[in-house]
Amino acid sequence: MKTRSLDVRGLEAPEPLERILGALESLPGDGRLEVIHWREPLLLYPILEEGGWRHKTEYNEQDRTYLISIWKDGQ
Amino acid sequence: MNLGALSLENAPGFWTPVRFFLTAPVFGMLAAGLIFVDGGQLLQSRWLPGSLAVAHAFTLGYIAMAMLGALFQMLPVLMGAVFPQAARAAMIVHLLMTLGTLCLVFAFLVQRPLLFAAAVVLLAPVLILFGAGVLVAIFRTGKVSTTARAVQLAALGLIVTVMLGGYMALGHAFGTAPINNVLTNYHAAWGVIGWILILAVGVSEQVIPMFLTTPPYPGLFNKRLAYLLMLLLVAGSLLPLRGLELAAVVLAGCLMLAYAVVTLQLLGKRRRKRFDITNAYWQVGMLCLVPGAGTNVYSYFGGAMGGADLALLSGLLLLVGFAVSIINGMLYKIVPFLVWLNLRMPAVMGKLKPGTRYYTPNIHEVINVRPMQVQLMFHVAGLLLLVAAVFFQGLTVYAAATAVLVSNLLLLLNLAHAVRLYRKYSSRAIAVR
């Protein structure tokens, strides 16, 4: 499985969402996207769920960032 | 989390808030029209029927209308709270708000008891239920952020404001309660501080760093601000001690000043330095909050300024200068975002056939910068002229009303341009599905 990283910290809303959606469109079927974000992207989750993506979010207390992993079902 | 409001099948997520946003400038135009027709009498005292009509065209028709629309959009996005039956509820709330506000504005103008009664029936239940709905929706999320807590406090502020206003309107309708200065002052204080300002404080905590790439608000400043404002409001309202009320007015004035200064400092520290229309509107809003709060305190202590009604001047600065400005600025962020998001989502979610060409606009090009800048110029001109018109009658009044009218017309046209773009391309996306 190929993993791609995307750092969207410091971007003006809604650029983080724009970049994440762009990255997902070009992600291979067995790929995995790992997004580093400085806030929890609440709007992204329902979009992912309706689009058949799975996701998991971890919060890093030390640098106060969220790591959101996104992949397609069945992997 | 189930965000039904964001379902794409018929995109209720787009129309749910947008119908409120398109209505707000129409009420701004109505307010401007009333000022023009009146010829300036109503700018001499806040107790005149015309002044009350204009004040409610702005507070209910513009400010509350846009804030309710934004809450329908924000609750799921920023707070993870689901508003039950959002699309249907939004349609009903919008209809009742529009009809109720029209009734109230004309009730003040023609002083017909039946219109006051109709306004109360149309507005009070829906606004109180909406406030209660917001309280419950956020409570159900379990984890409550600073913004969510402020929104809850603001919902409480809305409920108290509506109850006081409804009581007075029924008094007008049935002659049971003549105009009461004390109740009117409480109604205005709960509306401006308890509902509008506390909501602005809570929302700015999130949206200013997020949309304008500023550093976050410092430490506990904004986190405690909404609570402090509510505490002062409750203390000043419930304890009928003149000294306590004076202290509450002065302290609330100081907090408003501090909030404006801190926010202006943050806006000066944006990481991106290019012109941003929303940033400009926030700056205008904060620059109006300072004299608005100052004039309120000054007038409370009996200060005078060339025979002008200082309470009216303060209201003008706080409502049209502060609230309308920041709402106008936020509409220029929210509406293009909704257009972009709702055009983009079908492709992201695999609703288009593979290889289908689809169009999503660049978010910064949904509304062109130049027309927004022109609208901002009319808005600022309208504000300055309105303030001048409080002191100088005559032509200034007509110029002020015209500038406010044009500003709101341009806002409506700019938003309508974005909506046309959405309609044009969303229907094409459906056709190729």
Side-chain angles (χ1 to χ4, degrees), chain B residues 27-77:
Chain B
F27 274 101
M29 286 158 67
L30 174 66
L34 291 176
I35 297 173
F36 194 97
V37 171
D38 175 85
Q41 295 297 313
L42 58 83
L43 290 171
Q44 291 176 21
S45 164
R46 68 171 175 146
W47 299 107
L48 295 170
S51 325
L52 294 166
V54 169
H56 288 84
F58 274 122
T59 52
L60 281 166
Y62 189 114
I63 298 170
M65 186 72 74
M67 283 158 71
L68 259 56
L71 280 174
F72 271 111
Q73 168 71 13
M74 257 178 52
L75 284 175
V77 176

Short mmCIF file of all heavy atoms in Angstrom, two decimals, chain B residues 27-77:
data_model
loop_
_atom_site.label_atom_id
_atom_site.label_comp_id
_atom_site.label_asym_id
_atom_site.label_seq_id
_atom_site.Cartn_x
_atom_site.Cartn_y
_atom_site.Cartn_z
N PHE B 27 -33.71 42.97 3.49
CA PHE B 27 -34.16 43.74 4.65
C PHE B 27 -33.26 44.97 4.87
O PHE B 27 -33.73 46.01 5.36
CB PHE B 27 -34.21 42.87 5.90
CG PHE B 27 -35.51 42.12 6.02
CD1 PHE B 27 -35.60 40.79 5.67
CD2 PHE B 27 -36.65 42.77 6.47
CE1 PHE B 27 -36.79 40.10 5.76
CE2 PHE B 27 -37.86 42.09 6.56
CZ PHE B 27 -37.94 40.75 6.21
N GLY B 28 -31.98 44.87 4.51
CA GLY B 28 -31.10 46.04 4.57
C GLY B 28 -31.62 47.13 3.63
O GLY B 28 -31.63 48.32 3.98
N MET B 29 -32.10 46.71 2.45
CA MET B 29 -32.65 47.67 1.50
C MET B 29 -33.96 48.26 2.02
O MET B 29 -34.22 49.45 1.86
CB MET B 29 -32.89 46.98 0.14
CG MET B 29 -31.59 46.72 -0.61
SD MET B 29 -31.72 45.41 -1.85
CE MET B 29 -32.80 46.15 -3.03
N LEU B 30 -34.76 47.43 2.69
CA LEU B 30 -36.01 47.93 3.26
C LEU B 30 -35.70 49.01 4.31
O LEU B 30 -36.33 50.07 4.34
CB LEU B 30 -36.79 46.76 3.91
CG LEU B 30 -38.04 47.15 4.69
CD1 LEU B 30 -39.12 47.71 3.76
CD2 LEU B 30 -38.61 45.95 5.46
N ALA B 31 -34.70 48.73 5.18
CA ALA B 31 -34.33 49.69 6.21
C ALA B 31 -33.88 51.00 5.58
O ALA B 31 -34.30 52.09 6.00
CB ALA B 31 -33.21 49.12 7.09
N ALA B 32 -33.05 50.90 4.53
CA ALA B 32 -32.57 52.10 3.84
C ALA B 32 -33.74 52.88 3.24
O ALA B 32 -33.81 54.11 3.33
CB ALA B 32 -31.57 51.71 2.76
N GLY B 33 -34.67 52.14 2.64
CA GLY B 33 -35.85 52.77 2.03
C GLY B 33 -36.67 53.52 3.07
O GLY B 33 -37.14 54.63 2.83
N LEU B 34 -36.82 52.93 4.26
CA LEU B 34 -37.60 53.59 5.32
C LEU B 34 -36.91 54.88 5.77
O LEU B 34 -37.57 55.89 6.02
CB LEU B 34 -37.76 52.64 6.52
CG LEU B 34 -38.64 51.41 6.30
CD1 LEU B 34 -38.63 50.50 7.53
CD2 LEU B 34 -40.07 51.82 5.96
N ILE B 35 -35.57 54.84 5.88
CA ILE B 35 -34.84 56.05 6.28
C ILE B 35 -35.03 57.13 5.21
O ILE B 35 -35.27 58.30 5.52
CB ILE B 35 -33.32 55.75 6.46
CG1 ILE B 35 -33.11 54.74 7.59
CG2 ILE B 35 -32.55 57.03 6.75
CD1 ILE B 35 -31.68 54.24 7.74
N PHE B 36 -34.97 56.73 3.95
CA PHE B 36 -35.10 57.68 2.84
C PHE B 36 -36.48 58.33 2.85
O PHE B 36 -36.61 59.56 2.80
CB PHE B 36 -34.86 56.96 1.51
CG PHE B 36 -34.63 57.89 0.36
CD1 PHE B 36 -33.35 58.20 -0.05
CD2 PHE B 36 -35.71 58.47 -0.31
CE1 PHE B 36 -33.12 59.07 -1.11
CE2 PHE B 36 -35.50 59.34 -1.37
CZ PHE B 36 -34.20 59.64 -1.77
N VAL B 37 -37.51 57.51 2.95
CA VAL B 37 -38.89 58.03 2.90
C VAL B 37 -39.17 58.93 4.09
O VAL B 37 -39.82 59.97 3.98
CB VAL B 37 -39.89 56.84 2.86
CG1 VAL B 37 -41.32 57.32 3.03
CG2 VAL B 37 -39.73 56.07 1.56
N ASP B 38 -38.62 58.56 5.23
CA ASP B 38 -38.87 59.32 6.46
C ASP B 38 -38.16 60.67 6.42
O ASP B 38 -38.60 61.63 7.06
CB ASP B 38 -38.37 58.49 7.65
CG ASP B 38 -38.45 59.22 8.95
OD1 ASP B 38 -39.52 59.20 9.55
OD2 ASP B 38 -37.45 59.85 9.34
N GLY B 39 -37.05 60.74 5.72
CA GLY B 39 -36.35 62.01 5.56
C GLY B 39 -35.52 62.43 6.77
O GLY B 39 -35.09 63.57 6.86
N GLY B 40 -35.31 61.51 7.70
CA GLY B 40 -34.35 61.82 8.77
C GLY B 40 -34.94 62.05 10.15
O GLY B 40 -34.21 62.11 11.13
N GLN B 41 -36.27 62.19 10.24
CA GLN B 41 -36.88 62.36 11.56
C GLN B 41 -36.47 61.22 12.49
O GLN B 41 -36.16 61.43 13.66
CB GLN B 41 -38.41 62.37 11.45
CG GLN B 41 -38.98 63.54 10.68
CD GLN B 41 -38.68 64.86 11.35
OE1 GLN B 41 -38.86 65.01 12.54
NE2 GLN B 41 -38.18 65.81 10.58
N LEU B 42 -36.47 60.01 11.94
CA LEU B 42 -36.25 58.83 12.78
C LEU B 42 -34.83 58.74 13.32
O LEU B 42 -34.56 57.99 14.24
CB LEU B 42 -36.65 57.54 12.03
CG LEU B 42 -35.98 57.21 10.71
CD1 LEU B 42 -34.64 56.53 10.92
CD2 LEU B 42 -36.89 56.27 9.93
N LEU B 43 -33.91 59.52 12.75
CA LEU B 43 -32.53 59.49 13.27
C LEU B 43 -32.37 60.45 14.46
O LEU B 43 -31.28 60.59 15.00
CB LEU B 43 -31.53 59.83 12.16
CG LEU B 43 -31.39 58.75 11.07
CD1 LEU B 43 -30.56 59.25 9.92
CD2 LEU B 43 -30.78 57.48 11.66
N GLN B 44 -33.45 61.11 14.84
CA GLN B 44 -33.35 62.07 15.95
C GLN B 44 -33.64 61.43 17.29
O GLN B 44 -33.26 61.96 18.33
CB GLN B 44 -34.28 63.25 15.71
CG GLN B 44 -33.80 64.11 14.55
CD GLN B 44 -34.76 65.24 14.23
OE1 GLN B 44 -35.57 65.63 15.06
NE2 GLN B 44 -34.67 65.75 13.03
N SER B 45 -34.36 60.33 17.31
CA SER B 45 -34.66 59.68 18.59
C SER B 45 -34.93 58.20 18.38
O SER B 45 -35.57 57.81 17.41
CB SER B 45 -35.90 60.31 19.23
OG SER B 45 -36.39 59.46 20.24
N ARG B 46 -34.44 57.41 19.31
CA ARG B 46 -34.65 55.96 19.14
C ARG B 46 -36.05 55.54 19.55
O ARG B 46 -36.42 54.39 19.42
CB ARG B 46 -33.61 55.19 19.94
CG ARG B 46 -33.74 55.30 21.44
CD ARG B 46 -32.80 54.33 22.10
NE ARG B 46 -32.79 54.47 23.52
CZ ARG B 46 -32.63 53.45 24.34
NH1 ARG B 46 -32.49 52.23 23.88
NH2 ARG B 46 -32.60 53.63 25.64
N TRP B 47 -36.84 56.47 20.08
CA TRP B 47 -38.18 56.10 20.54
C TRP B 47 -39.25 56.32 19.47
O TRP B 47 -40.41 56.00 19.69
CB TRP B 47 -38.55 56.89 21.80
CG TRP B 47 -37.60 56.61 22.92
CD1 TRP B 47 -36.64 57.44 23.41
CD2 TRP B 47 -37.48 55.39 23.66
NE1 TRP B 47 -35.93 56.83 24.41
CE2 TRP B 47 -36.43 55.56 24.60
CE3 TRP B 47 -38.14 54.16 23.63
CZ2 TRP B 47 -36.04 54.56 25.47
CZ3 TRP B 47 -37.75 53.17 24.51
CH2 TRP B 47 -36.72 53.38 25.42
N LEU B 48 -38.89 56.87 18.33
CA LEU B 48 -39.89 57.13 17.29
C LEU B 48 -40.29 55.82 16.61
O LEU B 48 -39.45 54.92 16.45
CB LEU B 48 -39.34 58.11 16.26
CG LEU B 48 -39.04 59.52 16.80
CD1 LEU B 48 -38.27 60.33 15.77
CD2 LEU B 48 -40.34 60.22 17.17
N PRO B 49 -41.56 55.71 16.20
CA PRO B 49 -41.99 54.46 15.53
C PRO B 49 -41.10 54.08 14.35
O PRO B 49 -40.75 52.92 14.17
CB PRO B 49 -43.41 54.80 15.06
CG PRO B 49 -43.86 55.88 15.96
CD PRO B 49 -42.65 56.66 16.34
N GLY B 50 -40.71 55.09 13.57
CA GLY B 50 -39.86 54.82 12.40
C GLY B 50 -38.50 54.27 12.80
O GLY B 50 -37.96 53.38 12.14
N SER B 51 -37.94 54.80 13.90
CA SER B 51 -36.63 54.31 14.37
C SER B 51 -36.73 52.85 14.78
O SER B 51 -35.84 52.04 14.49
CB SER B 51 -36.13 55.11 15.58
OG SER B 51 -36.50 56.43 15.49
N LEU B 52 -37.82 52.53 15.48
CA LEU B 52 -38.00 51.15 15.93
C LEU B 52 -38.21 50.21 14.74
O LEU B 52 -37.73 49.08 14.73
CB LEU B 52 -39.18 51.06 16.91
CG LEU B 52 -38.94 51.82 18.23
CD1 LEU B 52 -40.24 52.01 19.01
CD2 LEU B 52 -37.93 51.10 19.09
N ALA B 53 -38.91 50.71 13.72
CA ALA B 53 -39.12 49.90 12.51
C ALA B 53 -37.78 49.61 11.84
O ALA B 53 -37.48 48.47 11.48
CB ALA B 53 -40.07 50.63 11.55
N VAL B 54 -36.97 50.66 11.67
CA VAL B 54 -35.66 50.48 11.02
C VAL B 54 -34.77 49.58 11.86
O VAL B 54 -34.10 48.68 11.33
CB VAL B 54 -34.98 51.86 10.78
CG1 VAL B 54 -33.53 51.68 10.37
CG2 VAL B 54 -35.73 52.63 9.70
N ALA B 55 -34.77 49.81 13.18
CA ALA B 55 -33.92 48.99 14.07
C ALA B 55 -34.27 47.51 13.91
O ALA B 55 -33.37 46.66 13.83
CB ALA B 55 -34.12 49.41 15.52
N HIS B 56 -35.56 47.18 13.82
CA HIS B 56 -35.95 45.77 13.72
C HIS B 56 -35.76 45.20 12.31
O HIS B 56 -35.57 43.99 12.16
CB HIS B 56 -37.36 45.56 14.25
CG HIS B 56 -37.42 45.67 15.75
ND1 HIS B 56 -37.54 46.88 16.38
CD2 HIS B 56 -37.28 44.73 16.73
CE1 HIS B 56 -37.51 46.69 17.70
NE2 HIS B 56 -37.36 45.39 17.94
N ALA B 57 -35.80 46.09 11.30
CA ALA B 57 -35.46 45.61 9.95
C ALA B 57 -34.00 45.15 9.94
O ALA B 57 -33.66 44.12 9.35
CB ALA B 57 -35.68 46.71 8.92
N PHE B 58 -33.15 45.90 10.65
CA PHE B 58 -31.73 45.50 10.72
C PHE B 58 -31.52 44.31 11.66
O PHE B 58 -30.88 43.33 11.29
CB PHE B 58 -30.86 46.67 11.20
CG PHE B 58 -30.43 47.59 10.10
CD1 PHE B 58 -30.73 48.94 10.13
CD2 PHE B 58 -29.71 47.11 9.01
CE1 PHE B 58 -30.34 49.80 9.11
CE2 PHE B 58 -29.30 47.96 7.97
CZ PHE B 58 -29.62 49.30 8.03
N THR B 59 -32.07 44.39 12.89
CA THR B 59 -31.75 43.35 13.88
C THR B 59 -32.36 42.00 13.52
O THR B 59 -31.69 40.97 13.62
CB THR B 59 -32.22 43.74 15.29
OG1 THR B 59 -33.59 44.10 15.22
CG2 THR B 59 -31.41 44.88 15.85
N LEU B 60 -33.62 42.00 13.11
CA LEU B 60 -34.26 40.73 12.78
C LEU B 60 -34.07 40.36 11.31
O LEU B 60 -33.68 39.24 10.99
CB LEU B 60 -35.77 40.80 13.09
CG LEU B 60 -36.17 40.65 14.55
CD1 LEU B 60 -37.61 41.09 14.75
CD2 LEU B 60 -36.01 39.21 15.01
N GLY B 61 -34.33 41.34 10.44
CA GLY B 61 -34.34 41.05 9.01
C GLY B 61 -32.95 40.81 8.44
O GLY B 61 -32.78 39.98 7.54
N TYR B 62 -31.97 41.52 8.94
CA TYR B 62 -30.61 41.35 8.42
C TYR B 62 -29.77 40.50 9.37
O TYR B 62 -29.32 39.40 9.01
CB TYR B 62 -29.96 42.73 8.22
CG TYR B 62 -28.64 42.68 7.48
CD1 TYR B 62 -28.50 43.25 6.21
CD2 TYR B 62 -27.53 42.06 8.02
CE1 TYR B 62 -27.30 43.19 5.52
CE2 TYR B 62 -26.31 42.00 7.34
CZ TYR B 62 -26.21 42.57 6.10
OH TYR B 62 -25.02 42.51 5.41
N ILE B 63 -29.59 41.00 10.60
CA ILE B 63 -28.60 40.38 11.50
C ILE B 63 -29.05 38.97 11.94
O ILE B 63 -28.34 37.99 11.72
CB ILE B 63 -28.34 41.29 12.73
CG1 ILE B 63 -27.75 42.63 12.24
CG2 ILE B 63 -27.40 40.62 13.73
CD1 ILE B 63 -27.67 43.71 13.30
N ALA B 64 -30.25 38.88 12.55
CA ALA B 64 -30.69 37.56 13.03
C ALA B 64 -30.89 36.61 11.85
O ALA B 64 -30.58 35.42 11.94
CB ALA B 64 -31.98 37.70 13.83
N MET B 65 -31.39 37.15 10.73
CA MET B 65 -31.63 36.31 9.54
C MET B 65 -30.32 35.63 9.12
O MET B 65 -30.27 34.40 8.94
CB MET B 65 -32.16 37.19 8.40
CG MET B 65 -32.60 36.47 7.16
SD MET B 65 -34.14 35.56 7.38
CE MET B 65 -35.38 36.84 7.41
N ALA B 66 -29.25 36.43 8.99
CA ALA B 66 -27.97 35.87 8.55
C ALA B 66 -27.38 34.96 9.63
O ALA B 66 -26.79 33.92 9.33
CB ALA B 66 -27.00 37.00 8.22
N MET B 67 -27.53 35.35 10.90
CA MET B 67 -26.94 34.55 11.98
C MET B 67 -27.62 33.19 12.09
O MET B 67 -26.98 32.17 12.35
CB MET B 67 -27.01 35.32 13.31
CG MET B 67 -25.94 36.41 13.40
SD MET B 67 -26.30 37.72 14.58
CE MET B 67 -26.11 36.92 16.13
N LEU B 68 -28.93 33.17 11.90
CA LEU B 68 -29.64 31.89 11.95
C LEU B 68 -29.20 30.99 10.79
O LEU B 68 -28.95 29.80 10.97
CB LEU B 68 -31.16 32.11 11.90
CG LEU B 68 -31.89 32.03 13.25
CD1 LEU B 68 -31.32 32.97 14.28
CD2 LEU B 68 -33.37 32.26 13.09
N GLY B 69 -29.09 31.59 9.61
CA GLY B 69 -28.62 30.82 8.45
C GLY B 69 -27.24 30.25 8.69
O GLY B 69 -26.96 29.08 8.42
N ALA B 70 -26.36 31.10 9.26
CA ALA B 70 -24.99 30.66 9.52
C ALA B 70 -24.96 29.56 10.58
O ALA B 70 -24.16 28.63 10.50
CB ALA B 70 -24.14 31.85 9.97
N LEU B 71 -25.86 29.64 11.56
CA LEU B 71 -25.89 28.60 12.60
C LEU B 71 -26.34 27.26 12.02
O LEU B 71 -25.81 26.22 12.39
CB LEU B 71 -26.80 29.01 13.75
CG LEU B 71 -26.17 30.00 14.75
CD1 LEU B 71 -27.19 30.47 15.77
CD2 LEU B 71 -24.97 29.38 15.45
N PHE B 72 -27.31 27.31 11.09
CA PHE B 72 -27.72 26.05 10.45
C PHE B 72 -26.52 25.41 9.76
O PHE B 72 -26.38 24.19 9.72
CB PHE B 72 -28.83 26.31 9.41
CG PHE B 72 -30.21 26.25 9.99
CD1 PHE B 72 -31.00 27.39 10.09
CD2 PHE B 72 -30.75 25.06 10.44
CE1 PHE B 72 -32.28 27.34 10.62
CE2 PHE B 72 -32.03 24.99 10.97
CZ PHE B 72 -32.79 26.14 11.06
N GLN B 73 -25.65 26.26 9.19
CA GLN B 73 -24.48 25.76 8.49
C GLN B 73 -23.36 25.37 9.46
O GLN B 73 -22.68 24.36 9.29
CB GLN B 73 -23.98 26.86 7.53
CG GLN B 73 -22.60 26.64 6.93
CD GLN B 73 -22.61 25.52 5.93
OE1 GLN B 73 -23.67 25.07 5.51
NE2 GLN B 73 -21.44 25.05 5.55
N MET B 74 -23.18 26.20 10.51
CA MET B 74 -22.03 26.05 11.40
C MET B 74 -22.14 24.91 12.39
O MET B 74 -21.14 24.31 12.75
CB MET B 74 -21.88 27.32 12.23
CG MET B 74 -20.78 28.23 11.78
SD MET B 74 -20.82 29.67 12.86
CE MET B 74 -20.79 28.92 14.48
N LEU B 75 -23.35 24.68 12.87
CA LEU B 75 -23.50 23.69 13.94
C LEU B 75 -22.87 22.35 13.56
O LEU B 75 -22.08 21.81 14.32
CB LEU B 75 -24.96 23.52 14.34
CG LEU B 75 -25.52 24.64 15.21
CD1 LEU B 75 -27.01 24.43 15.44
CD2 LEU B 75 -24.82 24.72 16.54
N PRO B 76 -23.20 21.81 12.37
CA PRO B 76 -22.53 20.55 12.02
C PRO B 76 -21.06 20.72 11.69
O PRO B 76 -20.24 19.89 12.05
CB PRO B 76 -23.30 20.04 10.81
CG PRO B 76 -24.20 21.10 10.37
CD PRO B 76 -24.22 22.18 11.39
N VAL B 77 -20.70 21.82 11.02
CA VAL B 77 -19.33 21.96 10.50
C VAL B 77 -18.34 22.23 11.62
O VAL B 77 -17.31 21.58 11.74
CB VAL B 77 -19.27 23.08 9.45
CG1 VAL B 77 -17.84 23.28 8.98
CG2 VAL B 77 -20.16 22.75 8.28
#
